[in-house]
Amino acid sequence: MRALIKKENKPECMEVGEVEKPSCPDDHVLIRVLAGGVCGTDLHIRTGEWICGRVPVVMGHEFSGEIAERGKNVQGFQKGDRVTVEPHIATCGVCEYCLTGRRHLCPSKKGLGIDTNGGFAEFVAVDPVIVHKLPAAISPEEGALMEPTAIVCHGVLVKGSVRSCDRVAVVGPGPIGIIAAQVTRAVGAKEVIVVGVERDREIRLKLCEDLGFEPFVAEDRKRMARIKSRYDVVVEAAGVSKGIGLAVDLLKRDGQMIAIGIPMEDQSSVPWAEAVRKSATIHCSYSSSFSAWEMSLSLVESGKVRLKPLITHDLDLGEWKKAFDVLVAGKGVKAVLRP
Ligand SMILES: [Zn+2]
Ligand SMILES: [Zn+2]
């Protein structure tokens, strides 16, 4: 079968090639992949900054598909069911985290499409414990974006909280930021703005504006000065030092900062004194829980969170390079690949 393969943990070393179609063990389901989302992590895997646990490996950890085969011990799924899949595999099932519904934090956890073969392929076999059925209203390409939506719901709704009287600022207008703006509005925030940088103006901030969020450009000092210390909740989705500093700057006293973006450098300079003086509550949020996936599915099914407008590129798997290049250049928001 056709798959996008990372061959070595070095820059580039990626190609679409033939790999053996996976078999379906008795306790797994075999999924025919319909669409896979390209994530920031994939861009870092391409450059060699993100190290895969195993190479060669089939990439892709955000995808949807339909059940092509069901292992004989599997219950609750039928051939033809449309599904989306959590990327958390090899969890132990017996640690404190697994036993308390936080499988995504299990120390044994591995990443689908990073440490074992993932979804940029025609087929993938997985344990049904990580599979969620897609409601009829959710298309395959939207299903491929459930993973970033679940990351947002975990940060904003499971770890943090948003009240109906809250003003919310989102820093970083990438897919995570644009979904975060929609999720906070869906649960009742009274005002939601999105802050980007100059190069986001044309495409990403334009999309935010089209979706009804007032866009701000960090370089526009005059406008930024007017919104300093205004927000009850700030979602940091940029994952860079400047974004983290800006998030603290926008936060009200006793406000809540929800940190989702992951900086590639280990040390980030944060205006810690200002955060302490503001009595900030900081929720760092990593990965996504089962309940966050269920919240995501219902928010997208109801139409309160719209994922289709984020998909600026819908391409055949063979065109992966084009998809990766437009995202790196900031010329797109989200790309999906069809195997
Ligand atoms: Zn991802
Ligand atoms: Zn565990």
Side-chain angles (χ1 to χ4, degrees):
M1 65 170 186
R2 204 162 69 123
L4 176 57
I5 307 156
K6 177 75 180 177
K7 295 191 295 181
E8 281 183 76
N9 277 319
K10 290 180 187 166
E12 299 297 329
C13 294
M14 282 168 60
E15 67 176 23
V16 169
E18 283 293 316
V19 296
E20 206 176 315
K21 179 183 167 185
S23 60
C24 183
D26 289 346
D27 54 356
H28 277 45
V29 288
L30 182 71
I31 295 170
R32 183 194 318 279
V33 179
L34 296 173
V38 180
C39 169
T41 305
D42 297 318
L43 304 181
H44 291 302
I45 290 174
R46 182 187 186 180
T47 60
E49 291 165 283
W50 196 294
I51 303 297
C52 295
R54 193 191 86 189
V55 279
V57 69
V58 175
M59 293 172 61
H61 60 273
E62 305 178 357
F63 60 93
S64 67
E66 60 185 19
I67 306 273
E69 234 177 278
R70 185 186 68 161
K72 70 171 196 264
N73 299 336
V74 173
Q75 295 185 338
F77 290 97
Q78 299 300 330
K79 205 171 157 180
D81 281 348
R82 295 161 64 257
V83 295
T84 182
V85 180
E86 294 179 29
H88 320 310
I89 54 157
T91 51
C92 74
V94 294
C95 73
E96 176 193 347
Y97 301 102
C98 285
L99 291 172
T100 52
R102 295 175 291 163
R103 205 172 51 219
H104 60 289
L105 297 178
C106 173
S108 309
K109 184 190 87 169
K110 298 259 183 284
L112 198 60
I114 297 169
D115 305 311
T116 62
N117 287 346
F120 286 149
E122 290 173 69
F123 294 93
V124 58
V126 297
D127 187 326
V129 76
I130 55 172
V131 179
H132 297 257
K133 282 184 196 166
L134 280 180
I138 300 182
S139 68
E141 60 275 21
E142 291 168 307
L145 269 63
M146 293 318 302
E147 196 262 356
T149 309
I151 286 189
V152 168
C153 286
H154 188 71
V156 171
L157 305 178
V158 178
K159 299 222 58 177
S161 59
V162 178
R163 300 164 306 170
S164 58
C165 54
D166 282 344
R167 290 195 176 100
V168 176
V170 176
V171 177
I176 293 282
I178 297 171
I179 294 170
Q182 295 191 66
V183 168
T184 54
R185 179 170 64 188
V187 298
K190 73 169 176 187
E191 176 188 322
V192 184
I193 64 136
V194 181
V195 185
V197 291
E198 195 56 56
R199 73 167 211 154
D200 297 320
R201 206 188 272 272
E202 200 185 325
I203 294 173
R204 297 181 170 194
L205 286 174
K206 169 77 172 51
L207 173 59
C208 293
E209 196 171 13
D210 292 346
L211 290 169
F213 305 107
E214 192 178 353
F216 284 81
V217 173
E219 289 92 335
D220 187 344
R221 295 253 169 86
K222 247 191 195 160
R223 275 187 84 217
M224 291 304 294
R226 292 210 309 265
I227 57 171
K228 185 178 163 64
S229 304
R230 178 181 166 84
Y231 298 92
D232 303 278
V233 176
V234 180
V235 181
E236 205 300 305
V240 293
S241 287
K242 271 192 178 160
I244 300 167
L246 186 58
V248 174
D249 206 43
L250 293 168
L251 205 60
K252 227 162 127 171
R253 287 181 186 169
D254 242 351
Q256 197 189 149
M257 175 168 151
I258 299 166
I260 303 179
I262 308 174
M264 282 313 287
E265 68 273 19
D266 235 354
Q267 302 276 330
S268 302
S269 66
V270 178
W272 197 251
E274 190 190 347
V276 174
R277 279 195 210 104
K278 279 186 168 173
S279 191
T281 299
I282 301 178
H283 294 288
C284 293
S285 182
Y286 181 64
S287 194
S288 54
S289 53
F290 177 89
S291 44
W293 279 75
E294 292 296 309
M295 290 171 186
S296 303
L297 287 162
S298 82
L299 283 169
V300 176
E301 183 185 20
S302 68
K304 287 177 185 160
V305 169
R306 291 169 57 211
L307 298 176
K308 270 195 185 145
L310 276 74
I311 303 171
T312 49
H313 296 78
D314 189 338
L315 301 167
D316 179 81
L317 186 63
E319 292 188 274
W320 69 270
K321 242 181 215 163
K322 182 178 171 190
F324 278 56
D325 288 345
V326 290
L327 296 179
V328 169
K331 298 287 181 208
V333 179
K334 193 76 184 178
V336 296
L337 297 172
R338 310 271 185 168

